[in-house]
Amino acid sequence: MTDAAPELTGVRRRWSRGGSLRLRVVVAFSVGSLVISATIAIATYAICERYLVEQRENALLRQAWSDARIMEQSLAADDRPAAISSYETAPGSKALVNVDGAWFGTSVGIGRSDIPRSLRTAVAAGAPAHQRIRLDGTPFFVVGVPLPSENATFYEFTSIAPLDRTLRTISAALVAGGAVASLLGALLALWIARLVVRPLTETARAAERVAAGDLDTRLDKYDDPDLALLSDSFNQMVDAVQHRLRREASFSSDVSHELRSPITTLAAATELMRRRRDQLPPDMQEIFDLLCADIARFSQLVEDLLEISRADAGAEELRLEPVVLEEFIRHYTDRLDEHITIEVAADIVGSRILLDKRRFERVIENLTANARAYADGVTAIRISRRDSMARIELEDAGPGIAPEERALIFERFHRGSSAGRRGSTKGSGLGLALVAEQVRLHGGKVEVLDALTGDGARFVVELPWRSV
């Protein structure tokens, strides 16, 4: 018992966690319907069998007692062999008589050996007895009656094949009825499961749309009070999330705008001071350079925040222009003092697609800057087409990105867990978030994989191939 309990608990836990809810409802309902149908069928059969058998056996017992009295009278009045040979049994019955140790039968094919020993012993002891047996596959009801006045015993064999066929017919009907009831139960369970699971499915799909960024998604109000509570709670939750995101976006935008003016002023002042940098003492020159770098980084952070705020507010629009993809990328990489191999699939050389040049350049710029900061720059760019998507792969030869961090590095302000690697303390944590946002606006996606060569990372950008 101690070993079976944990195993049963584990089965229940796996059943509750695994598989479709609709499937579990259908299976549970079907099994319950099958158990109920089987229980009713077994009980019905038992009652019918008991009633029919008792009625038939009581009738056969009365008939056997009557026939035994007739045989006893015939043995007392006539010559015994003549009385036995002239005795006529009812249709379907056979009689066997033991007189003074001699056995006489009313028909050929039945003899002393056909009577069970226990039945012969009971009747020989002076007590009437009966028993069901089978002879050559046919069921018989045997009744033994002692005839002490004639020193004889009387046995009557009556076929109960009709009763056996009736019981088999009842059994088959109950099995068929149970199967039909189970099938109808399964169909009813499927219909009920569909009604029960539909609100959950609609809620799950709505949650997926909300998670994908469609915050205008709402559930229709259900008439059922319990389901109405579900839809109202979901809609209130989305309202709260939407309101909070708008507040956060508004706050980020306001803060960024407020910071932009002083940062611009500081940048202009440092630019003026840069002209007289050589007049500063050496230690002040180093401090001045650090100040300039920090102001530039801070200015870039403010610009990134403003762009993300505009995207959150839905104020960003694509300005699509025809672009030869490989020429656009070569033109950008030529401005970098880096050796980058560009590979272009032969079937798309010279092809034009529609892109927002400014946004796409920001994608390439942020990815190359990210690789420059953590992996000594991009080593190869591959351009190809897969189905209806343009595919741009930027590969580096850095330390790579751990699988558990790949889904996180495109989140805002994510900094990873290990210093000296992507997402650590370098940068603002907005560069890759902006890449994901710009790619999303184009209707594409971005992901990071292992490099095809070496231990580096490979950023894969897929954009819809909008032909000109």
Side-chain angles (χ1 to χ4, degrees), residues 370 401 405-412 414 416 422-423 429 432-433 448 459:
N370 186 75
I401 301 174
E405 291 187 12
R406 293 178 182 177
L408 302 175
I409 61 175
F410 296 103
E411 295 184 1
R412 300 172 187 179
H414 175 73
R422 276 187 184 82
L432 293 181
V448 59
F459 285 82

Side-chain angles (χ1 to χ4, degrees), residues 292-315:
C292 291
D294 285 341
I295 291 175
R297 185 164 57 252
F298 197 18
S299 178
Q300 184 62 53
L301 174 60
V302 170
E303 292 297 328
D304 291 345
L305 284 173
L306 280 172
E307 190 157 359
I308 286 181
S309 298
R310 287 193 295 268
D312 290 341

Side-chain angles (χ1 to χ4, degrees), residues 355 360 363 384-393 438-440 442-447 449 459-465:
L355 290 176
F360 182 66
V363 169
S384 60
R385 179 176 180 176
R386 177 175 294 182
D387 298 328
S388 61
M389 304 293 286
R391 185 180 176 91
I392 303 98
E393 304 177 42
Q438 303 293 5
V439 171
R440 183 191 66 80
H442 276 85
K445 66 177 183 177
V446 59
E447 61 180 338
L449 306 172
F459 285 82
V460 180
V461 176
E462 290 188 345
L463 303 174
W465 188 281

Side-chain angles (χ1 to χ4, degrees), residues 321-335 342 355-365 383:
E321 302 176 57
V323 174
V324 178
L325 201 54
E326 68 269 21
E327 291 182 2
F328 185 87
I329 292 177
R330 288 184 192 277
H331 179 71
Y332 174 79
T333 57
D334 287 344
R335 302 199 305 264
I342 298 179
L355 290 176
D356 187 315
K357 290 184 178 181
R358 184 184 69 84
R359 298 186 186 282
F360 182 66
E361 183 174 0
R362 191 67 186 277
V363 169
I364 301 300
E365 178 184 355
I383 307 171

Side-chain angles (χ1 to χ4, degrees), residues 35-74:
V35 170
I36 293 174
S37 300
T39 302
I40 294 176
I42 293 173
T44 302
Y45 180 81
I47 293 172
C48 291
E49 181 187 34
R50 181 177 179 181
Y51 175 78
L52 293 176
V53 169
E54 285 184 354
Q55 292 294 317
R56 182 59 174 159
E57 288 185 351
N58 289 337
L60 293 178
L61 285 173
R62 290 193 296 270
Q63 180 65 38
W65 276 97
S66 175
D67 292 343
R69 296 285 77 84
I70 294 173
M71 176 61 72
E72 186 177 25
Q73 294 173 3
S74 299

Side-chain angles (χ1 to χ4, degrees), residues 1-8:
M1 291 296 291
T2 56
D3 294 335
E7 182 178 353
L8 181 59

Side-chain angles (χ1 to χ4, degrees), residues 18 79 103 161 238 273 284 334 370 377 381:
D79 179 55
W103 292 89
V238 178
M273 293 177 62
M284 293 299 294
D334 287 344
N370 186 75
I381 298 179

